């Protein structure tokens, strides 16, 4: 029997003790005395969220495939356990062995969302690891960050020894090999960091010095160590079938956010939406073969007992073999109680046909993401979706039996006018009208159209990285304009409108485009009680506002300030594949309202061809 890190008394006093005891189906437990490297993998949010994350499952399976490595998991302790661990001085521990994180060789932290940054500090703090990389000694774990937020690592630079820029299947084993080599040779922590800095995609923040202009903008960003590279190039898997997937996914004993098998069908996106960071940093689009997906779909459902499989990608409709894959899943699992989930579909006749085969129409709602209320603004953001297509899709869905629609919009995008804002209500109304155009005896009850607005945050490596961001007051004013227009609609009772928190969005904007001077603000907010900021019930904006004031950091400098095209950005030392020249060109085309064709229609010369794979090298005649 394993000895649990928490006593029975503590486990009985908190919600969901199963978050901390491990023992899940398909868990991998190794003898620490028989491995050479111990890797603790942390998700800086509660277990229920972290266990739903595909990336951790992939890397967990990959690391544990090596006999000389053990990979174990750790999640942010929930608000009921956090104070108990502090009071009783219980060090944060991994689920598999229940051993303290501080005893591991590596602590890897995935950075999925800016509003989890204070939870990163919670994990370090509860692990009894010094918050600042410069204060760590030879026996402390090497703290490494990765994931989408690592494409601007600078706000967190002081807290990490390393960042991994790109996809985890590429050079992680090289990094572990160098670590073992250095340890065997009796090398120091710094020796290892210098070895790591020479590996493509690895960034060591302490080996670089930023310098600032009088106006606060970045003047230069230069290496201070001969092993550090001037540019860090992201690492990508060129051939998706060349890497293994998850043989046996972990299955929790409690309900988590996504309780299903997740099958990644492709990476990247061809669409080129100008606000979307993922669509840029995950270029080029690379597909898995149909045979690869059939194999893993079958194995994962068999090894987990899950009753649902979700096909994951940024735009599933663009997967070449989607019809073949869906038909295989329907035929293979017919009568076996397996549901098929298809997020990220463009609503067209084929998609509706597929969804009608795999979903209970009476229970499910359709999701459209027009992103903007007018065609003019959809052209600015390069959404590639016309009102005609949206209304045709909605009409076909209603005729097929659906009567609930969710619409996702974004307020505060560049060049937005009152007409664009009011267009959100007008488009929602037109969709409701499309339902009531169907003869009454053919309708499925009343229609419900729910429109939601998030607020626009300019992100690094997008054409909108130069854009001005709205203030909290401007965001709320825009939401009120939309709400007012909704009240004028004839079908108002069939429509519902809601919007995201404006204060949270402004903070996300600072963290997204921040530099190293934002790090002390994160630390100050954390020390004053900021934690689980992505959860609205725990987000305390006043703590953050006080932290900005204490640290003398101007919020507007990072959000509402206009940026010139020649400004040096804190993330410009990263080569994410899309060139700055391409992004500038797209920014100018956005301001002119010009649409850029998707990658399969015409190559736009973004720079991603340099990775040597994917859609850039597709041949039309390939057979499957």
């Amino acid at each position: 029997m394993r000895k649990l890190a928490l006593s029975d008394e503590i486990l009985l006093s908190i919600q969901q003790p199963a978050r901390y005891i491990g023992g899940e189906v398909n868990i991998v437990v190794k003898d620490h005395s028989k491995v050479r490297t111990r890797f603790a993998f942390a998700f800086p949010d509660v277990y229920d969220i972290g266990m739903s994350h595909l990336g951790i499952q992939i890397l967990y399976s990959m690391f544990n495939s090596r006999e000389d490595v053990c990979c174990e998991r750790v999640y942010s302790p929930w608000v009921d356990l956090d104070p108990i661990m502090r009071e009783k001085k219980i060090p944060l521990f991994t689920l598999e062995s229940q051993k303290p994180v501080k005893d591991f060789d590596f602590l890897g932290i995935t950075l999925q969302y800016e509003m989890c940054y204070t939870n990163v500090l919670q994990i370090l703090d509860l692990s009894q690891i010094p918050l600042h990389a410069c204060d760590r000694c030879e026996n402390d774990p090497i703290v490494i960050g990765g994931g989408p937020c690592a494409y601007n690592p600078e706000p967190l630079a002081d807290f990490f020894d390393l960042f991994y820029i790109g996809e985890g299947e590429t050079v992680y084993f090289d990094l572990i090999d160098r670590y073992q080599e250095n340890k065997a040779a009796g090398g120091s922590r710094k020796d290892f960091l210098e070895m790591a800095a020479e590996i493509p995609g690895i960034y060591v923040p302490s080996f670089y010095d930023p310098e600032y202009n009088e106006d606060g903008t970045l003047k230069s960003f230069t290496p201070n160590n001969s092993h550090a590279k001037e540019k860090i190039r992201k690492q990508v898997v060129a051939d998706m079938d060349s890497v293994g997937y998850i043989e046996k996914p972990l299955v929790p004993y409690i309900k988590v956010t996504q309780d299903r098998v997740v099958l990644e069908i492709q990476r990247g996106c061809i669409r080129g939406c100008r606000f979307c960071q993922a669509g840029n940093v995950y270029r080029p689009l690379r597909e898995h073969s149909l045979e690869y997906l059939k194999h893993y779909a079958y194995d994962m459902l068999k090894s987990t007992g899950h009753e649902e499989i979700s096909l994951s990608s940024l735009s599933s409709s663009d997967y070449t073999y989607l019809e073949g894959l869906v038909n295989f899943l329907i035929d293979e699992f017919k009568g076996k109680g397996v549901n098929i989930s298809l997020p990220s579909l463009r609503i067209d006749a084929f998609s509706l046909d597929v969804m009608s085969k795999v979903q209970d129409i009476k229970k499910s709602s359709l999701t459209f993401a027009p992103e903007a209320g007018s065609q003019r603004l959809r052209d600015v953001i390069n959404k590639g979706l016309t009102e005609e297509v949206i209304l045709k899709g909605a009409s076909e869905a209603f005729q097929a039996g659906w009567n609930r629609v969710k619409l996702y919009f974004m307020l505060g995008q560049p060049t937005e006018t009152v007409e664009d804002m009011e267009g959100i209500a007008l488009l929602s109304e037109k969709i409701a009208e499309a339902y009531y155009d169907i003869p009454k005896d053919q309708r499925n009850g009343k229609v419900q159209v729910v429109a939601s607005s998030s607020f626009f945050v300019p992100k690094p490596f997008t054409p909108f990285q130069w854009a001005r961001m709205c203030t909290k007051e401007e965001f709320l004013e825009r939401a009120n304009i939309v709400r007012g227009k909704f009240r004028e609609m004839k079908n108002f009772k069939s429509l519902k409108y809601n919007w995201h928190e404006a204060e949270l969005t402004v903070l996300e904007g600072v963290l997204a485009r921040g530099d190293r001077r934002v790090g002390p603000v994160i630390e100050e907010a954390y020390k004053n009680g900021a934690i689980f900021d992505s959860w609205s019930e725990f987000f305390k904006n006043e703590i953050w506002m006080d932290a900005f004031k204490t640290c003398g950091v101007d919020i507007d400098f990072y959000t509402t300030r206009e940026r010139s095209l020649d400004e040096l950005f804190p993330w410009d030392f990263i080569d994410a594949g899309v060139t700055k020249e391409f992004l500038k060109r797209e920014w100018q085309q956005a301001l002119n309202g010009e649409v850029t064709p998707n990658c399969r229609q015409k190559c736009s010369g973004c720079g991603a061809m340099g990775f040597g794979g994917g859609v850039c090298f597709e041949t039309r005649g390939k057979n499957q």
Side-chain angles (χ1 to χ4, degrees), residues 107 121 124 129-144 157-162 189:
L107 169 58
L121 300 194
L124 291 171
I129 297 168
L131 293 186
H132 292 212
C134 63
D135 295 331
R136 292 178 196 138
C137 64
E138 295 296 324
N139 294 327
D140 287 313
I142 299 292
V143 180
I144 181 166
D158 290 343
F159 311 118
F160 282 83
D161 299 297
L162 305 172
R189 189 182 190 91

Side-chain angles (χ1 to χ4, degrees), residues 169-180:
E169 299 97 331
T170 49
V171 298
Y172 250 128
F173 283 174
D174 292 347
L175 188 70
I176 289 171
D177 289 343
R178 300 281 179 99
Y179 180 80
Q180 292 179 354

Side-chain angles (χ1 to χ4, degrees), residues 470-511:
C470 291
T471 62
K472 177 186 81 171
E473 292 74 21
E474 287 169 330
F475 279 137
L476 293 175
E477 182 186 348
R478 291 172 191 228
N480 281 323
I481 288 170
V482 179
R483 183 173 61 174
K485 194 67 177 175
F486 265 94
R487 287 174 175 160
E488 297 175 15
M489 297 298 103
K490 183 178 71 178
N491 293 300
F492 177 64
K493 288 184 179 178
S494 296
L495 309 176
K496 187 180 177 185
Y497 177 62
N498 50 55
W499 59 91
H500 194 54
E501 299 105 317
E503 292 174 336
L504 195 83
T505 305
V506 171
L507 180 55
E508 183 186 336
V510 176
L511 300 177

